[in-house]
Amino acid sequence: MTEAVVTTVSPVFEVGGVVGKDLARDCVRLEVAEALEGLRTLRAHFLAVGAGAEGAHDRLLHLDGSTVDLGSALKVALGPPARQRFVFDGVVSAIELVLGDGEPPLVVVHAEDVLMRLRMTRRMRTYENVTDADIAESVAREHGLAADTAAPGPRYDLVQQLNQSDLAFLRSRARLLQAELWATGRTLHFRTRGSRQGTEQTLVHGSELLSVRLAADLAHQRSEIAVTGYDAERREGIDERAGPEVVEAETAGGRTGPRLLGRALGPATGFRVRETALAGAEAEAWARAEMLRRGRRFVTAAGTTNGSPDLVVGGPLTLRGVGGPFEGGGYHVTRIRHTFDLEHGFRTRFDAERSSLNEVV
């Protein structure tokens, strides 16, 4: 049986492990968002008047702590009964009251996942003889979290966290290796893309995929990435380079951006200058990561579905009915925004990327 284009099933809220029926009844808009850099956020709008209210301003709902309060543990599930999934698990961080002109009062609830604590903790700290995975495990322990790390990389003699939040610091370390950062429950994950697990989803344009915009762009592609520095111990310069083979190693066929750039516009070298390498292993890892960052974003997709609770950041994606060059698998979801409102029901907006175009037949 074909599903309706608009999914009107209301979100299911759990506050402190108890289903919040009043929240589901009064929810008029919900947004849950996440990207590769971690920190899933929620914003929900609830009518503050309705059943149980005694006048427009005498007793506004959802403000007395009986349904939701600052610090409440909040979980939200979306989707029709057969496909319902939890899309958020976190803690309420803010509550707003909106009193509009001639409009019903609204209570707006904001929540964030467990990485909120990392965002709120700022430090000055020095790490010695560590890898980036070691740093992620150390930060996780500081916050009472389990750590799941799989991000091979160089070992550093010294790494400094200079007046950064723990979240900003881990994001900067992840960027050096093109690792991905996220949380599930009480576990912090710090993994490179190839080691991140996810169930592949297939979206078909004209069915659950309502709209999509796809692009192949050479503007930010490079045929080579160079990282330079100086090794004081060996008293010699450092010059490490990464080429198209780095991107091709994780691409299952097709035409990659670095190769197409050389044919279409000629070779171009990019230099990574934000960090200064102090050892050859560092420069090699950073050059490879920058090549991957650019190459992976050669093909991008931004789409909207009629509600896809199984679509998650980091998951593999296949697109069908989208035209020969863009057709097929190999996409990696980089951003998700689940929304619910009374006009459109449940919708999922996503961004994805792929490193190659299909061969022209």
Side-chain angles (χ1 to χ4, degrees):
M1 183 176 180
T2 303
E3 290 186 12
V5 173
V6 178
T7 304
T8 57
V9 178
S10 297
V12 176
F13 296 87
E14 285 190 12
V15 182
V18 178
V19 175
K21 296 181 179 178
D22 292 347
L23 295 177
R25 177 198 65 203
D26 295 334
C27 181
V28 295
R29 180 167 177 78
L30 172 72
E31 179 179 308
V32 175
E34 184 184 14
L36 290 177
E37 63 269 18
L39 188 65
R40 183 170 294 204
T41 61
L42 172 145
R43 181 172 59 185
H45 296 69
F46 302 100
L47 285 173
V49 294
E54 300 173 356
H57 298 89
D58 295 334
R59 181 185 171 192
L60 295 176
L61 301 178
H62 311 303
L63 289 176
D64 61 0
S66 62
T67 56
V68 66
D69 202 357
L70 291 170
S72 294
L74 180 64
K75 296 178 71 174
V76 179
L78 280 170
R83 296 175 52 222
Q84 195 171 83
R85 300 287 186 274
F86 281 107
V87 298
F88 182 81
D89 182 0
V91 175
V92 175
S93 57
I95 295 177
E96 296 180 73
L97 174 63
V98 180
L99 302 174
D101 182 8
E103 299 176 349
L106 292 174
V107 169
V108 184
V109 172
H110 299 259
E112 301 173 60
D113 70 13
V114 70
L115 296 185
M116 174 177 65
R117 292 300 307 166
L118 278 67
R119 178 181 62 78
M120 298 173 66
T121 304
R122 187 174 291 271
R123 302 180 196 269
M124 301 279 287
R125 174 178 289 183
T126 299
Y127 296 87
E128 297 181 5
N129 190 31
V130 292
T131 64
D132 289 306
D134 293 336
I135 293 172
E137 291 172 3
S138 177
V139 172
R141 285 194 300 270
E142 289 281 347
H143 293 276
L145 304 177
D148 169 38
T149 61
R155 181 168 293 275
Y156 306 97
D157 292 335
L158 195 72
V159 176
Q160 291 184 305
Q161 180 178 353
L162 300 174
N163 194 27
Q164 289 177 290
S165 72
D166 284 349
L167 180 59
F169 181 56
L170 281 189
R171 284 173 170 173
S172 69
R173 303 314 302 178
R175 178 178 54 82
L176 286 174
L177 302 179
Q178 281 303 288
E180 297 176 5
L181 177 68
W182 76 101
T184 55
R186 300 285 301 173
T187 300
L188 183 149
H189 305 271
F190 187 93
R191 285 178 167 268
T192 50
R193 178 168 298 186
S195 68
R196 186 169 186 172
Q197 302 298 316
T199 302
E200 181 159 358
Q201 302 295 309
T202 298
L203 299 175
V204 181
H205 184 240
S207 181
E208 65 270 39
L209 181 57
L210 303 179
S211 64
V212 64
R213 180 172 183 171
L214 300 115
D217 189 351
L218 292 174
H220 299 287
Q221 297 301 302
R222 297 294 182 268
S223 51
E224 182 183 58
I225 295 295
V227 175
T228 61
Y230 184 76
D231 189 325
E233 184 176 342
R234 296 186 177 184
R235 298 184 180 182
E236 61 183 18
I238 297 170
D239 187 342
E240 294 289 342
R241 296 172 183 254
E245 66 280 354
V246 172
V247 177
E248 293 167 348
E250 63 173 32
T251 303
R255 298 170 291 162
T256 63
R259 291 293 183 192
L260 280 173
L261 175 70
R263 297 172 193 166
L265 303 175
T269 299
F271 291 87
R272 186 166 188 162
V273 297
R274 183 177 297 181
E275 301 87 15
T276 301
L278 302 179
E282 295 177 11
E284 181 182 4
W286 297 351
R288 181 180 182 278
E290 178 64 9
M291 194 69 187
L292 286 174
R293 184 186 72 82
R294 291 175 178 272
R296 286 168 172 172
R297 287 194 55 77
F298 172 45
V299 177
T300 56
T304 301
T305 79
N306 62 346
S308 304
D310 290 322
L311 199 61
V312 297
V313 171
L317 177 65
T318 295
L319 298 178
R320 298 295 183 194
V322 296
F326 302 103
E327 186 82 7
Y331 289 93
H332 189 81
V333 180
T334 59
R335 187 178 300 272
I336 285 289
R337 185 161 66 96
H338 297 295
T339 62
F340 171 85
D341 59 44
L342 300 182
E343 181 180 359
H344 299 102
F346 177 26
R347 294 287 173 90
T348 299
R349 293 166 176 82
F350 68 90
D351 292 342
E353 61 188 27
R354 191 173 78 171
S355 58
S356 65
L357 281 174
N358 296 335
E359 295 286 354
V360 177
V361 179

